[in-house]
Amino acid sequence: MAGGMSAECPEPGPGGPQGQSPGPGRQCPPPTTPAPWSLPRWRAYVAAAVLCYINLLNYMNWFIIAGVLLDVQEVFQISDSHAGLLQTVFIGCLLLSAPVFGYLGDRYSRKTTMSFGILLWSGAGLSSSFISRRYSWLFFLSRGVVGTGSASYATIAPTVLGDLFVRDERTRVLAVFYIFIPVGSGLGYVLGSAVTTLTGNWRWALRIMPCLEAVALILLILLVPDPPRGAAETQGEGAVGGSRSSWCEDVRYLGKNWSFVWSTLGVTAMAFVTGALGFWAPKFLLEARVVHGLQPPCFQEPCSNPDSLIFGSLTIMTGVIGVILGAEAARRYKKVIPRAEPLICASSLLATAPCLYLALVLAPTTLLASYVFLGLGELLLSCNWAVVADILLSVVVPRCRGTAEALQITVGHILGDAGSPYLTGLISSVLRARRPDSYLQRFLSLQQSFLCCAFVIALGGGCFLLTALYLERDEARAWQPGTGTPDSKDVDSNDLERQGLLSGAAASTEEP
């Protein structure tokens, strides 16, 4: 026992061994506890690398259709509003599935659940490449199945990383993991456009992805462990502090966690803008080039769209730099400013709003300035991806992090990118119907439908300011006894020890 104090065994009850008492003054035998779960550091980093690779493929699937959108519209003869519905179906199925996978991830094997999701989305993506133009409804349905598979991974993978790493190490690993959101999104555009140019058929872009995903599935099965929930915070012993709560109890707990609530609304604003931009920006930039006389209009497939490559490359570059800057700023400043993480998110979103507005209004006059402000807006937006994940992991107890991830994904997509591509396309179609049929008017309609994004992203900045008001309180509550985390009295004495969790056997030094 701590401090070298001894204790006497209590008198055993009637059911004690052989009905005998050890007598006064006898010391209790040391309690038997299960051996702590540990993992060599190199194994943890290999597992993180595999999860990052799968995250890359996951987000390539999200935006590969956007890279060949003009060809898809020509093949299936769909308008802007129906084209936006493609992404809405994808996100809608993802958000409906996320709570189910969050529930499974908190209670059953996370590796099995993620493996099932990869099989589901890769099979649906491959099948969709063989759908003929007569069955456009089936193509929409296949995108929904891809979204369902993606939900399993997006919900569970961050919680696995949260159970493998702690504190600054976790912040760095999450930064690398979330770098692959913009990188995967950008490569989705690039792959779709490049494969279409090389083969003359956009469908081959959907046939290449399953080969990469088969490799990912094998690596996941062989190299990624399934650590006990809360292993990082409890020195490998898993979550402690009471019986398994029900899903409704978890939801009630999260609903009272104001840091989680406000940060989720901030993520929703981010999702709204990234969904609309990610789906429509390549077409918007192509029509801007046509308006400037830099490219002829396209009336039949295959449509050559260099802006898919340009926008994809811009997304990759700004995403990598932005995620690294945001994570490093959070890691440095939260040591001196406890509320640094939500304040960084708020300031970056509030700065994104004017950049996005200027990118849109300057596009008809100077395309170069539009690209500059669009790139700056994407850079600021990308600063938040790793930081918001770290906020969730720090204010939510380990026993319901999967549910928290699922609810954040569900709310973010319901109010965010599930509807923003469709809403943007619908507004564009309504505005165009009232105007002369010309490329200039088509461009202006799409431009004006984008303007609501600048307002929404400013609201997201306000939500993160409110998150900062509750952050310290909710972090302290997440470490209270009986909440599925270590007893708060042990936090200080074990603080340094937790940082070395994955170095093999845990250190056994205690405070005097």
Side-chain angles (χ1 to χ4, degrees):
M1 300 185 65
M5 299 293 292
S6 63
E8 296 182 357
C9 288
E11 294 289 334
Q18 301 178 358
Q20 297 179 358
S21 168
R26 277 186 75 178
Q27 292 187 4
C28 293
T32 58
T33 56
W37 185 92
S38 63
L39 191 71
R41 183 177 295 273
W42 70 269
R43 282 286 312 278
Y45 280 110
V46 168
V50 172
L51 293 176
C52 289
Y53 170 63
I54 303 173
N55 202 38
L56 172 73
L57 300 181
N58 186 22
Y59 279 91
M60 287 177 69
N61 266 308
W62 282 47
F63 292 102
I64 195 168
I65 293 298
V68 294
L69 183 59
L70 290 170
D71 295 299
V72 172
Q73 286 185 277
E74 289 293 330
V75 168
F76 294 107
Q77 294 296 302
I78 53 179
S79 63
D80 282 355
S81 60
H82 286 91
L85 193 60
L86 270 173
Q87 192 75 347
T88 298
V89 169
F90 174 90
I91 298 297
C93 290
L94 184 147
L95 65 89
L96 290 175
S97 311
V100 177
F101 288 119
Y103 177 88
L104 295 175
D106 278 341
R107 290 158 178 82
Y108 303 103
S109 170
R110 291 180 284 191
K111 182 190 287 191
T112 302
T113 307
M114 289 190 290
S115 300
F116 170 76
I118 294 173
L119 282 172
L120 190 63
W121 93 53
S122 60
L126 178 62
S127 301
S128 67
S129 69
F130 297 99
I131 297 173
S132 68
R133 68 175 63 209
R134 291 182 299 171
Y135 300 100
S136 59
W137 63 270
L138 195 57
F139 189 79
F140 279 78
L141 180 62
S142 70
R143 291 301 295 167
V145 178
V146 172
T148 300
S150 295
S152 69
Y153 190 78
T155 301
I156 296 173
T159 69
V160 176
L161 292 174
D163 289 334
L164 290 175
F165 302 94
V166 289
R167 298 191 177 274
D168 284 356
E169 194 173 34
R170 183 169 68 191
T171 300
R172 292 190 185 100
V173 171
L174 285 173
V176 176
F177 181 79
Y178 282 100
I179 277 175
F180 290 97
I181 292 181
V183 172
S185 303
L187 285 179
Y189 301 123
V190 172
L191 179 67
S193 180
V195 170
T196 302
T197 302
L198 291 173
T199 65
N201 187 345
W202 61 271
R203 298 176 187 270
W204 279 104
L206 301 179
R207 295 167 186 169
I208 290 174
M209 288 300 299
C211 301
L212 303 175
E213 289 152 359
V215 175
L217 180 60
I218 294 171
L219 294 175
L220 175 68
I221 294 171
L222 295 179
L223 300 177
V224 178
D226 194 353
R229 290 155 183 84
E233 286 89 347
T234 59
Q235 280 294 281
E237 297 174 7
V240 296
S243 59
R244 174 68 255 174
S245 60
S246 69
W247 186 81
C248 291
E249 289 171 335
D250 289 349
V251 172
R252 282 197 295 270
Y253 158 72
L254 293 170
K256 297 177 182 178
N257 187 323
W258 287 106
S259 296
F260 172 77
V261 171
W262 287 115
S263 64
T264 297
L265 292 176
V267 170
T268 300
M270 292 168 55
F272 185 96
V273 174
T274 55
L277 281 179
F279 196 78
W280 289 110
K283 183 175 181 179
F284 172 78
L285 294 171
L286 172 66
E287 293 189 350
R289 291 172 65 87
V290 173
V291 168
H292 283 275
L294 301 175
Q295 183 170 328
C298 175
F299 298 107
Q300 64 180 16
E301 63 163 329
C303 296
S304 175
N305 186 2
D307 289 285
S308 290
L309 290 171
I310 297 171
F311 183 72
S313 302
L314 186 66
T315 300
I316 294 171
M317 181 178 65
T318 58
V320 170
I321 297 172
V323 170
I324 292 174
L325 287 177
E328 187 63 19
R331 187 185 70 82
R332 289 176 179 271
Y333 288 109
K334 70 182 177 182
K335 295 177 181 179
V336 293
I337 305 174
R339 301 175 180 179
E341 290 176 319
L343 292 177
I344 288 170
C345 293
S347 58
S348 65
L349 293 190
L350 291 174
T352 300
C355 291
L356 182 58
Y357 178 79
L358 290 172
L360 294 172
V361 299
L362 292 176
T365 55
T366 168
L367 197 56
L368 178 60
S370 180
Y371 267 114
V372 170
F373 283 108
L374 183 61
L376 186 56
E378 283 199 293
L379 176 68
L380 292 167
L381 199 60
S382 298
C383 289
N384 296 335
W385 291 117
V387 181
V388 295
D390 211 13
I391 290 173
L392 184 148
L393 293 174
S394 67
V395 301
V396 175
V397 296
R399 63 177 168 81
C400 57
R401 283 175 179 168
T403 300
E405 289 280 357
L407 286 179
Q408 191 167 88
I409 288 172
T410 301
V411 173
H413 290 317
I414 286 177
L415 302 177
D417 53 353
S420 62
Y422 175 70
L423 180 63
T424 304
L426 180 63
I427 295 174
S428 175
S429 294
V430 170
L431 292 175
R432 192 195 306 176
R434 302 176 180 178
R435 296 173 175 177
D437 187 15
S438 67
Y439 241 87
L440 176 61
Q441 296 303 322
R442 289 172 62 178
F443 167 74
L444 293 176
S445 299
L446 191 56
Q447 176 206 40
Q448 291 163 12
S449 68
F450 263 135
L451 291 176
C452 63
C453 292
F455 175 73
V456 171
I457 206 66
L459 288 180
C463 290
F464 280 113
L465 288 176
L466 292 172
T467 302
L469 297 178
Y470 299 95
L471 183 76
E472 292 179 273
R473 184 199 69 179
D474 291 330
E475 283 183 331
R477 287 180 177 178
W479 284 92
Q480 287 178 354
T483 58
T485 53
D487 194 309
S488 58
K489 68 185 179 183
D490 297 328
V491 172
D492 293 334
S493 63
N494 292 326
D495 184 55
L496 295 176
E497 185 180 15
R498 277 194 302 275
Q499 297 186 36
L501 169 65
L502 299 173
S503 61
S508 58
T509 306
E510 294 182 340
E511 282 189 345

